[in-house]
Amino acid sequence: MLNTEEYTAILQETDRFAARTVAPLFEIADRPPEPAALESVFQTAHSMGILPAPGQTGFALWELAEKQAGFQLHLSTLLSLARHNAATALEMHLRSLAHSVLNSADEATDALVTIALDGQPGLGRYSLAKYLKGNPLDENDEAILAQYFPGSAGLFHVQAFNVATILLPFWQGVDGLEWRLYARENLELSEIPSHGLNELARYRARLRAGSQPLCTIAANAENAANFLRVLTLHEAALFAIQAGLAGHAWRKAKNYAFNRAQGGCLIKDHPAVQRLLLNCYAVWRSGEGLLRTLQCPGGLTELADTMAKRSTLEPLLYSAVTDALQVFGGYGYMQDYGMEKLLRDQNHLARLGGSAGDLRLFLAALELADAEDKEQQP
């Protein structure tokens, strides 16, 4: 496993990559980079080992997530990437998560792959909690889960930037959950406006009639545990990206405050600006601290802990970016400075994997499912 020197060296290399390769693409705040330039970033990430590659093992995202040190390394990687651009960090997470699911079933692919998993509508409410706990499901539960898992609903959203294959979860009724891998040409994709993270296109997708999957990871008793692991990784990754984005906002606001003069002095000397910067900094650091307390996927306890911490800090992370924007005054709402985009990005991230309200309802549902399970015991 990783020793301290290896861990530190990997993170330092990731920081350099984020600062020297990722950040320059977004220097012009109101103009998304060209797709070819973005794809070059992902290719570099593959060559560095940040993104996984078939047949290769190393330190790529989610390859070491079964051990605590590896799990924390991956969260720190996403945190570092998001401090420069959240959309890039999200796309790297989704690609790596898809590889992780396929590798767990010995279904590696040479093609670029992503996963459709955006937490809508509302984390399946009580029904998904019952399924993950292994409680019996009724007809209403089946209908809700068929809507929650996007493959079964037929219509879903995906960030499918220049990938060849997409992994979809399907609800199979009493047989539970299975994963299916489809070639992109099997999907009808229509680009839709994105509230945030719009450097990467977001699509509304539907499977073409008669499409056959490239491979299937069949539904079985272990698949609930498989999805539980995936959901835990997804929630933890979104938390890391949101915290990193708050750090990005703080850095931009601090740099502006140290260079902008008004009223005869730099605005960093104004008490109101100091309070805004301090609030943003405190929340960002709190996010980083909470991330270090997350435990690698192991069961419902780890998922609930991750969801509880994310739901608690998520509104504060949004407020932190708002405070950073306010440092710019009216300029903060102009596209040129990029602050209004960071606010939109944070709001968009808050809706992925379930909003703070969805997370709290899901946690309550887990408790109710647990109580129901105890009542049924002899």
Side-chain angles (χ1 to χ4, degrees):
M1 198 56 201
L2 295 173
N3 59 42
T4 302
E5 289 184 359
E6 290 173 323
Y7 190 102
T8 302
I10 292 168
L11 287 181
Q12 287 176 344
E13 187 64 23
T14 300
D15 283 335
R16 283 192 291 269
F17 165 70
R20 298 175 183 177
T21 305
V22 176
L25 287 179
F26 307 97
E27 287 178 344
I28 303 177
D30 61 342
R31 188 183 307 165
E34 293 295 325
L38 274 172
E39 189 56 35
S40 176
V41 168
F42 296 122
Q43 291 300 328
T44 302
H46 274 290
S47 65
M48 292 178 60
I50 296 174
L51 285 175
Q56 297 181 10
T57 57
F59 307 114
L61 283 169
W62 308 135
E63 284 189 350
L64 303 173
E66 309 313 315
K67 300 290 186 180
Q68 185 63 18
F71 177 64
Q72 284 295 325
L73 172 66
H74 301 322
L75 293 182
S76 296
T77 297
L78 290 171
L79 189 74
S80 177
L81 292 168
R83 280 200 295 259
H84 297 278
N85 183 253
T88 303
L90 177 64
E91 179 69 3
M92 290 189 184
H93 155 62
L94 292 174
R95 293 190 186 193
S96 300
L97 189 61
H99 271 280
S100 179
V101 174
L102 292 171
N103 288 339
S104 68
D106 298 321
E107 292 286 356
T109 174
D110 291 328
L112 294 178
V113 57
T114 191
I115 190 170
L117 193 72
D118 63 7
Q120 298 177 9
L123 288 171
R125 306 291 179 168
Y126 185 43
S127 302
L128 182 58
K130 288 174 67 175
Y131 170 62
L132 292 177
K133 288 191 68 69
N135 289 15
L137 305 178
D138 57 29
E139 291 183 1
N140 186 54
D141 295 319
E142 296 283 358
I144 291 174
L145 290 172
Q147 291 181 348
Y148 172 72
F149 292 106
S152 302
L155 188 67
F156 50 93
H157 294 159
V158 64
Q159 301 242 152
F161 176 74
N162 199 28
V163 294
T165 55
I166 298 177
L167 190 66
L168 301 174
F170 274 72
W171 182 250
Q172 293 296 96
V174 293
D175 292 327
L177 170 71
E178 74 177 21
W179 299 92
R180 297 180 189 175
L181 184 68
Y182 284 93
R184 182 164 174 167
E185 54 263 28
N186 291 142
L187 305 176
E188 297 175 359
L189 296 176
S190 56
E191 191 170 343
I192 57 175
S194 181
H195 174 68
L197 306 172
N198 49 351
E199 300 93 322
L200 302 175
R202 184 167 173 81
Y203 299 91
R204 180 176 291 111
R206 186 188 298 273
L207 281 174
R208 298 184 189 277
S211 297
Q212 295 299 314
L214 299 171
C215 71
T216 299
I217 302 174
N220 53 46
E222 288 78 31
N223 222 285
N226 180 304
F227 184 77
L228 181 58
R229 172 184 175 276
V230 170
L231 187 55
T232 304
L233 291 177
H234 190 49
E235 292 293 339
L238 291 171
F239 189 3
I241 295 169
Q242 286 181 276
L245 193 152
H248 186 181
W250 176 80
R251 187 182 70 244
K252 285 176 69 72
K254 184 193 75 169
N255 290 341
Y256 183 79
F258 276 66
N259 288 281
R260 171 73 172 175
Q262 191 167 342
C265 64
L266 293 173
I267 65 170
K268 72 178 181 64
D269 297 323
H270 289 271
V273 172
Q274 292 172 358
R275 284 195 295 271
L276 291 170
L277 287 173
L278 181 59
N279 290 342
C280 183
Y281 180 81
V283 172
W284 165 42
R285 286 303 192 188
S286 296
E288 288 194 333
L290 273 182
L291 279 173
R292 287 192 286 271
T293 70
L294 300 186
Q295 299 297 307
C296 63
L300 280 169
T301 300
E302 289 75 18
L303 174 63
D305 180 65
T306 300
M307 285 183 163
K309 289 170 180 173
R310 184 180 173 223
S311 68
T312 299
L313 204 64
E314 188 176 90
L316 297 178
L317 290 168
Y318 181 82
S319 296
V321 180
T322 302
D323 288 339
L325 182 149
Q326 292 297 329
V327 170
F328 288 72
Y331 289 136
Y333 295 92
M334 297 175 62
Q335 288 185 331
D336 309 60
Y337 289 85
M339 295 306 296
E340 59 83 29
K341 185 185 182 310
L342 293 185
L343 191 62
R344 288 188 286 111
D345 287 351
Q346 190 71 291
N347 190 37
H348 192 110
L349 284 165
R351 298 183 303 177
L352 300 178
S355 67
D358 290 330
L359 293 172
R360 287 191 287 269
L361 286 172
F362 184 84
L363 291 170
L366 282 179
E367 292 299 317
L368 289 172
D370 189 48
E372 179 183 278
D373 187 45
K374 290 178 180 178
E375 288 179 359
Q376 293 177 353
Q377 292 179 359

